[in-house]
Amino acid sequence: MAKVDNIVVTGKSGAGKQPRIDVLVDRYGLEQLSTGNIFRSYLGAFKKLDSGLAPEKFWDEASGWFVDDSAISAELEPFCEKAGVPVDDAVLGLKAARFVDAGLFVPDRITNALFEAAFRAKGGRGLVLDGYPRTAAQAEFLLQLTQDMGTKLDLVLLVDNEDDLIVQRTVGRRICPKCGRVYHVEYKPPKDGKYCHDCGVEVIQRSDDTEEKIRTRLREFAEKTAPAIELLRKAGIPYVEVPGNLPVFTDEAVRESVLGKVEPILG
Ligand SMILES: [Zn+2]
């Protein structure tokens, strides 16, 4: 069996990626690398400095980009030393913070830079990529990066699910604010329709789980991520689809539906 370097898991938000990622991690001894965690990690590195420095200070309005990295590093360095944070991590965190904290659209250039740093830190191997690439520009960057590092993408796995089903499932989702337990008003109702079975606390709906926000995420997938997947396929990366919805949803059923498609390709 050829050694598996990396697998890309993709799909609409709410399609059910995590159980499939768990199967791949377990079967091939991989580690999950999520864009969400990458961002949290670098943003955290910058925040940990407690430097009081605003990212905007290093933004050059004329060029529409940040000033030179060396200038940012020089100012962050004393804080990094005190906090025990690598300067490069803090610089990446500061750049990401300029967009994330202001609720601005994060440019591909930033997402790529953070991804590259995290990917290189892991040696570019043994990973399930989750939430990346999300645009064609990110997909191109990833192909170039793996080529430069002498590593590869072995497979793209798409978890397929219908829009209406995702909306229905997500809109009905409720979460216990205390223990994080997830409920659904129809399929897994909380006690008396609104209390956590474990804590008795009233469950809440996440602000991201409104129909309008879900439809926006679904539209983004169709417009931006679908072309990214297409680009990877055209580059010759093997591609499989697995259903996000199963007649019977057990660990074993998920495992079979994933490995039935993946093992013929990866062994
Ligand atoms: Zn609870």
Side-chain angles (χ1 to χ4, degrees):
M1 181 183 112
K3 184 117 178 62
V4 175
D5 277 353
N6 301 291
I7 300 175
V8 173
V9 173
T10 186
K12 298 162 190 167
S13 168
K17 291 191 283 291
Q18 192 58 51
R20 281 74 190 182
I21 291 171
D22 292 342
V23 169
L24 295 169
V25 163
D26 178 57
R27 171 65 180 80
Y28 295 101
L30 305 171
E31 185 186 341
Q32 180 172 359
L33 185 63
S34 302
T35 313
N37 286 339
I38 293 173
F39 269 85
R40 270 188 288 281
S41 160
Y42 288 107
L43 287 168
F46 172 59
K47 307 253 148 98
K48 197 177 164 197
L49 306 185
D50 204 16
S51 63
L53 292 167
E56 211 53 42
K57 182 181 175 190
F58 304 98
W59 185 256
D60 177 25
E61 214 41 74
S63 70
W65 198 248
F66 294 96
V67 299
D68 200 69
D69 276 7
S70 58
I72 307 177
S73 300
E75 286 221 39
L76 292 186
E77 219 152 24
F79 296 102
C80 286
E81 226 162 88
K82 230 167 79 187
V85 169
V87 181
D88 292 348
D89 291 5
V91 171
L92 285 170
L94 173 142
K95 289 181 179 176
R98 185 203 176 246
F99 300 95
V100 175
D101 290 352
L104 296 173
F105 171 78
V106 181
D108 283 328
R109 198 170 156 189
I110 292 289
T111 304
N112 287 342
L114 265 66
F115 175 82
E116 176 176 0
F119 189 68
R120 284 187 183 276
K122 300 281 183 195
R125 281 197 171 78
L127 302 167
V128 176
L129 308 186
D130 161 31
Y132 187 93
R134 235 176 220 155
T135 65
Q138 291 175 16
E140 271 175 44
F141 182 84
L142 177 60
L143 288 172
Q144 187 64 50
L145 178 63
T146 46
Q147 194 187 321
D148 292 348
M149 291 180 72
T151 180
K152 66 186 185 316
L153 304 174
D154 298 271
L155 183 74
V156 175
L157 181 138
L158 173 86
V159 182
D160 191 28
N161 224 327
E162 280 171 46
D163 284 13
D164 288 340
L165 223 101
I166 289 174
V167 170
Q168 189 194 1
R169 280 212 323 224
T170 319
V171 169
R173 184 156 61 194
R174 298 291 181 275
I175 293 177
C176 170
K178 198 173 166 200
C179 72
R181 210 171 145 181
V182 180
Y183 294 93
H184 189 280
V185 289
E186 236 173 282
Y187 313 127
K188 197 183 165 195
K191 197 176 163 198
D192 298 333
K194 50 181 190 180
Y195 303 106
C196 177
H197 287 281
D198 292 334
C199 323
V201 176
E202 191 165 343
V203 298
I204 55 165
Q205 184 177 34
R206 290 193 324 173
S207 60
D208 273 355
D209 287 350
T210 63
E211 173 152 5
E212 194 196 342
K213 292 207 173 161
I214 298 155
R215 296 270 180 209
T216 303
R217 294 201 294 271
L218 290 171
R219 207 161 40 240
E220 273 176 12
F221 180 85
E223 286 169 7
K224 294 182 179 166
T225 307
I229 298 166
E230 198 48 41
L231 200 142
L232 295 178
R233 292 181 71 176
K234 282 204 175 124
I237 315 291
Y239 170 85
V240 295
E241 283 181 19
V242 298
N245 237 43
L246 296 170
V248 186
F249 198 90
T250 61
D251 289 352
E252 199 40 48
V254 172
R255 195 177 163 83
E256 270 171 28
S257 91
V258 170
L259 296 184
K261 292 278 182 71
V262 172
E263 280 180 345
I265 294 171
L266 298 184

